[in-house]
Amino acid sequence: MELLNEAAPNPLAKTPKSGMSTGGKILIAATGGVGIGLSIVCASFVAPAFRRICLPYVPATTEQIQNVLSFMPKNSAGKLLDIGSGDGRIVMAAAQHCSALKTDGVELNPWLVYYSRLAALRHGVSNRTRFFRKDLWKFDIKDYNFVVIFGVEQMMQDLEHKLIAECPHNTKIIACRFPLPSLEHVKIIEDGVNTVWFYDLNKS
């Protein structure tokens, strides 16, 4: 009888584990990439909460937009600035309402600025609108004869000082949600949360 030299299999020996499939690795990488992307986008919206004065993104209502436009004759010319322009709806509505008016928005959130530029292109007013990603406290406002403000109560005092110091004497100011604390308004549309105050620096 012929003896076999091969060693008998060891029942205690561990079976080598198969490596992670390529599909699994792609799925993990894609999930991680999406998570990082969402974190970057969300950070732009959450970051204002950590500033001394928080100016959150709250879209203007249809009623607020109409109230703002009611203080702007259709033949208005010059330049308008929306402070904290968000998704750009006030800037675009003003450009559509007043064909001779150039309208700008200043906003710190880069994603809202990019969205506003695309929206202006889609609505056919990109040639008369501009959107700047800048800190409003460092933004030069001396060339604007219309200024729209969607602010918070904590910022209105400092903003009033900036407007008085930098704006031309004929500038018209339209404040939404909160009034300027010291300037005397010329007109007001009382409409609850959609209330709008109209100021004329030439009469203040």
Side-chain angles (χ1 to χ4, degrees), residues 40-76:
I40 293 172
V41 173
C42 291
S44 300
F45 291 87
V46 175
F50 297 96
R51 295 178 174 272
R52 182 176 65 87
I53 297 177
C54 174
L55 184 58
Y57 166 56
V58 180
T61 66
T62 301
E63 291 77 12
Q64 285 172 333
I65 294 173
Q66 291 305 314
N67 290 343
V68 168
L69 296 181
S70 69
F71 290 126
M72 301 169 56
K74 286 183 176 274
N75 61 352
S76 297

Side-chain angles (χ1 to χ4, degrees), residues 4 20 24 35 40 113 125 127 151 156 159 169 172 178 196 201:
L4 298 176
M20 182 181 293
I40 293 172
V113 172
V125 292
N127 62 326
M156 301 308 282
L159 188 54
H169 293 309
K172 312 297 187 292
F178 294 97
V196 174
L201 289 185

Side-chain angles (χ1 to χ4, degrees), residues 5-11:
N5 293 327
E6 289 91 345
N10 183 357

